Amino acid sequence: MFFTDQAKAMSRYFALVDCNNFYASCERVFNPKLEKKPVVVLSNNDGCVIARSNEAKAIGIPMGEPLFKVKALIRSKDVKVFSANFTLYGDMSRRVMEVLADHCADLEVYSIDEAFMELRFYHQSANSLVAWAEKLRATVYQWTGIPVSVGIGATKTLAKLANHVAKKRTRTGVYAIRTDDPLLHEITIGEVWGIGRRYEARLRQVGVNTVRELQCIEEGWMRQEFGVVGLRLLKEIKGEVCLLLEDPVTARKHTMVSRSFADDLYELAEIQRRLALYATRLGEKLRHYRQAAGVLTIYLWVNKHRNRRRDGRTCFARSVNLPIATNNTNHLISWSAVVAKALFEAGTNYKKAGIMASELVPENLSQGNLFQDHRAHERDNRVMKLVDELNQKMGQSTVYFAACGERPSIPLRQDYKSVNFTTNWQELLEIWG
DNA sequence: TCTGGGGTCCTAGGACCC
DNA sequence: TCTGGGGTCCTAGGACCC
C-alpha cells in the first residue's frame, strides 16, 4: 500500500446504519397483516409508546406518550398495539448486526438498532459509496426483513445527520452529506445529534437556526456556553473528527438493571426480593461481558406523580465498595439487600428500584485480597457458569437464588405481547399451507 | 386508574482530610 | 466579630442520546 497519510485521511468516512422504526419493524417481520397499518410498541408495564410505524407517526401519536393519553386515537384509527418484546428485538438486532459485520470490519454497535462503520480505502468517490450502501441496505432487508437507512459523512455527527436526511428526504434510504452541502441551509439545529431542547433554545436565542449557521459559530463561544461537549459537537459538524469508533464492551463504565414496579411498594422485604432478581440479571450481564464490579449502587425511586414525601425527593442512592470485585450473583444479592436496608424509609411509596455496577474490571483481573479463599472462589465461579448454561438452555430462571422468592420473574404488565418467534422453540411461527 | 429502561458526560455542594 | 486553601470522594441533578 502506498497511500500517503493525507490520502488516508481523505478517504476516511463514517457511515451510520439505523433500522427504521425498529421495534415496529420487528413485529411486522412475523406478522405481514401489519403491513401499511399503524403499529406502536409500548415500554415495560405498557407505560408509554416507544416505537411507531410511519403510519402511526402520520396519525399523530407522539414518541414517549403515556398509553392512556392515546387510547382514544388508537381505538378510532385501529392502531395495532404491542407490549415490548425485547427478547425478540434483541435477537433481530443480533441478526442485523451480523450482516453489517460481514460487510465492514470496523463496526461499532451503538444501540439496539444502530451501528457506526468506519469506511477506509474501500471507495474513492461519494457515488461509489452510495452504491455500496444501497447494496448493503438491500442485503440487510433480504436476509432479515428489517428496513434500514444509511447516512455517510466525514464524522460520526455528519453521518448521523446524513442518516436523518436519508430517512426524511430520500426514497433510497441512503444519503452522503458533505460539509458544504446546500441542504445544511435548510436543516434546523434541533435535528443535530447532541442538540437537545435546552441547547436548541439557547442557540436560537442568539439567532442560530440552521446547521449552516451553526457551522459559523465561534469555537470559543461554543466552549464557554456548552463546555467541551459543545465544542466537540461544533468541530464534528464542521467535518473535524473528534469521535472515533468505540468498543462498547471495554468502553462501558456502568451496567445497570432497573425496573418500575407495576404498583407502588412499601415493604423492605418485597423491595429486597425484587432487587435480588435485578441482581441476578446484573450478574448475568457482567458475566456475559466477562467483567466484575468494584462498586455496587442501589437506587430507590419514589413515585414522582404521587410523591407523599414532605421534602419532595424522588431518588435515593447509596454505593458500596466491594471488598473484591465480583460478578457472582450470590454476592451481588447479599450486598443489594444490605444497601437497600440502609436506604429504605418506612412509609414511603417506592415506584422503581435499580442496581448498578461500576468500577468495572475484566473478571480475570479482579483483585483478590490476602484473606480470600481461592478454592471457594473457584468453586463459586464454576457454580455461576453452570447456572448460566442451564438458564440459557432451559429458559430464564430455571435455576435461581432463593432470595428472589418463589418462581421469580420480573412482574410486568404486558397486555399486548407478541411471541418469541426466534428464540423459543415453543413459540416458533406456524405457517399453514 | 394508567407516565420505560438503559447509557454518557459534566457540574455543584457537602463531608472529610491535610 | 473574626474563621485558609486545596484535594478527594460521594451524592444529586441536569444535559444529552437511544
Side-chain angles (χ1 to χ4, degrees), chain A residues 1-278:
Chain A
M1 300 295 256
F2 299 101
F3 291 106
T4 64
D5 281 351
Q6 198 182 4
K8 277 183 196 169
M10 283 171 68
S11 61
R12 175 202 223 182
Y13 292 94
F14 290 89
L16 177 72
V17 182
D18 190 321
C19 301
N20 301 347
N21 313 324
F22 182 55
Y23 299 161
S25 298
C26 288
E27 296 293 347
R28 258 185 193 160
V29 168
F30 297 96
N31 193 344
K33 284 183 198 154
L34 302 175
E35 273 322 311
K36 316 269 187 227
K37 297 257 172 62
V39 175
V40 301
V41 177
L42 306 176
S43 62
N44 277 332
N45 289 319
D46 293 343
C48 326
V49 173
I50 55 168
R52 305 157 298 157
S53 70
N54 287 341
E55 296 79 7
K57 289 176 188 173
I59 62 174
I61 297 179
M63 181 68 172
E65 192 77 345
L67 175 62
F68 69 90
K69 288 192 182 172
V70 288
K71 274 224 159 131
L73 196 54
I74 282 171
R75 247 193 310 269
S76 69
K77 301 280 185 184
D78 190 27
V79 178
K80 307 297 177 197
V81 179
F82 292 89
S83 301
N85 183 349
F86 289 112
T87 311
L88 175 67
Y89 311 149
D91 189 60
M92 292 304 291
S93 170
R94 188 185 51 74
R95 291 165 191 235
V96 171
M97 299 308 169
E98 270 175 17
V99 180
L100 300 185
D102 272 353
H103 286 74
C104 179
D106 293 312
L107 183 77
E108 173 193 340
V109 177
Y110 175 70
S111 73
I112 194 165
D113 68 336
E114 279 176 87
F116 284 103
M117 295 170 160
E118 193 172 331
L119 312 173
R120 264 188 289 194
F121 311 119
Y122 290 24
H123 311 280
Q124 296 306 312
S125 71
N127 282 344
S128 58
L129 271 177
V130 167
W132 176 81
E134 281 173 357
K135 198 158 159 260
L136 172 67
R137 187 174 180 270
T139 308
V140 172
Y141 187 71
Q142 191 187 341
W143 292 3
T144 67
I146 300 290
V148 300
S149 302
V150 187
I152 297 164
T155 64
K156 282 171 116 178
T157 305
L158 284 166
K160 188 90 182 158
L161 196 62
N163 190 284
H164 185 75
V165 174
K167 276 209 172 72
K168 298 256 155 158
R169 302 181 184 234
T170 71
R171 294 184 145 269
T172 58
V174 175
Y175 193 76
I177 206 163
R178 296 191 327 218
T179 50
D180 60 351
D181 200 305
L183 269 182
L184 297 182
H185 290 279
E186 294 174 34
I187 303 172
T188 54
I189 48 171
E191 296 167 69
V192 174
W193 186 41
I195 297 185
R197 291 230 297 274
R198 282 291 302 269
Y199 287 15
E200 180 179 5
R202 178 66 186 125
L203 285 165
R204 285 190 187 274
Q205 261 179 8
V206 295
V208 174
N209 296 297
T210 68
V211 177
R212 181 66 202 129
E213 287 163 355
L214 177 65
Q215 285 179 323
C216 300
I217 285 194
E218 203 219 322
E219 292 191 351
W221 183 85
M222 204 66 185
R223 165 75 234 243
Q224 189 192 323
E225 200 72 27
F226 303 112
V228 291
V229 176
L231 180 58
R232 200 171 55 204
L233 192 159
L234 176 58
K235 288 183 169 188
E236 281 258 317
I237 209 73
K238 291 201 284 189
E240 184 182 333
V241 174
C242 300
L243 301 169
L244 299 173
L245 291 199
E246 288 182 18
D247 174 356
V249 175
T250 55
R252 177 169 294 171
K253 299 194 169 124
H254 316 280
T255 297
M256 174 131 173
V257 176
S258 70
R259 295 282 187 288
S260 300
F261 311 133
D263 300 297
D264 289 4
L265 294 183
Y266 293 84
E267 302 292 329
L268 174 62
E270 183 56 31
I271 288 173
Q272 285 171 321
R273 233 180 337 265
R274 303 296 176 99
L275 280 168
L277 203 50
Y278 302 176

Side-chain angles (χ1 to χ4, degrees), chain A residues 30 419-431:
Chain A
F30 297 96
V419 296
N420 294 321
F421 301 105
T422 63
T423 55
N424 189 331
W425 290 112
Q426 316 306 324
E427 301 185 5
L428 286 181
L429 184 63
E430 292 180 25
I431 298 172

